[in-house]
Amino acid sequence: MDLDLGGRVVLVTGGVRGVGAGISAGFASQGALVVTCARRPVDDLPYEFHSCDVRDPDAVGAMVDSVVERHGRLDVLVNNAGGSPFALAAEASPRFHQKVIELNLLGMLNVSLAANAVMQNQAAGGSIISVSSVSGRRPSPGTAAYGAAKAGVDSLTATLAVEWAPKVRVNAVVAGMVATEQAELFYGDSESQAAVAATVPLGRLARPDEIGWAIAFLASDAASYISGAALPVHGGGEPPAFL
C-alpha cells in the first residue's frame, strides 16, 4: 500500500508504545518523517523524540516550535497520548478524574491548537487526527472519566473541523479493543482475552498497526475530502446484550 506520505513531517503524541508505536511505524513505513513525544524518554527509539507532557500548554508550544524550527513545517498531527487505569467512579479521587480528563481531552486540545497555528500558515495546510475510543460512545464502567473525555474528543473533532477549514482537516479514529503489550491490564490473561475477543464480530482484538493504517489513510490525499469524521475501527463493534 502506498499512501504517498513520503517526506511529510508527522508528530505522534505518545507514539512510543502500544497503539502509538503502531501508528508511528505505519507512517515511517510510508516514508514519513516521524516525530514522537512522551513524558519519559525511551531507549533505542528509531524516531526523533521529545519529552513533553501534553497537559502543559507551554511545553507543547515549545515542542511544536522545535519541530518546525528543525524541519520547516508540520504536516500531520496524531493525538494519541492518553489512557486511564481502572477505577470505579465513586472510589476514585476528584484529582484522579481531573488528571484523566486533562490527559485525554485537554492534552488533545493543547497540541491541536499549537499544530493548527503552524498549519494555517502553510500553503498545503495540514491534517490532525485524534485517537478516540468506543468508550466515549457506550457505558465505560471503571473508566468513567476516560469515556467522558473521549466523547469530548469526538465533539472537538467535529467542531474544529468547521473552525479550521479549509486549511486543516480534522478527523478521529474511534478505536475498539486493541491487543498491546499491556492487554493483560485491561482484558486479563490469555484465556480471558480470548473470551473478550470472541465478543467482537471479527473474532479478535485489533493490532496496533491496524489503527495506524486507518490514521495514515485519513492523513493522506486519498482522504482529501474527509474532515469532521470519526471513523470506527472496532472490528464490527459490540453486539447488543440480548444477542
Side-chain angles (χ1 to χ4, degrees), residues 7-50:
R8 297 199 192 183
V9 179
V10 180
L11 172 61
V12 182
T13 69
V16 298
R17 298 182 182 86
V19 172
I23 296 168
S24 296
F27 276 103
S29 73
Q30 291 290 303
L33 192 160
V34 176
V35 181
T36 66
C37 75
R39 281 178 286 178
R40 290 177 293 276
V42 176
D43 294 332
D44 301 322
L45 194 68
Y47 317 112
E48 179 182 330
F49 177 82
H50 294 256

Side-chain angles (χ1 to χ4, degrees), residues 77-91:
L77 164 65
V78 181
N79 288 304
N80 170 72
S84 173
F86 182 94
L88 295 175
E91 298 175 3

Side-chain angles (χ1 to χ4, degrees), residues 121 222 228:
N121 294 310

Side-chain angles (χ1 to χ4, degrees), residues 200-233:
V200 179
L202 288 187
R204 61 180 178 84
L205 306 183
R207 302 188 309 270
D209 69 287
E210 291 175 310
I211 307 299
W213 279 114
I215 290 172
F217 161 71
L218 287 173
S220 75
D221 291 342
S224 59
Y225 199 64
I226 300 176
S227 192
L231 174 64
V233 185

Side-chain angles (χ1 to χ4, degrees), residues 7 18 21 24 33 40 45 50 53 61 75 83 85 98 110 117 119 127 129 136 178 198 201 211 214 222 227 229 236:
S24 296
L33 192 160
R40 290 177 293 276
L45 194 68
H50 294 256
D53 185 343
D75 301 305
Q98 177 183 340
N110 289 338
M119 293 173 177
S127 175
I129 305 104
V178 185
I211 307 299
S227 192

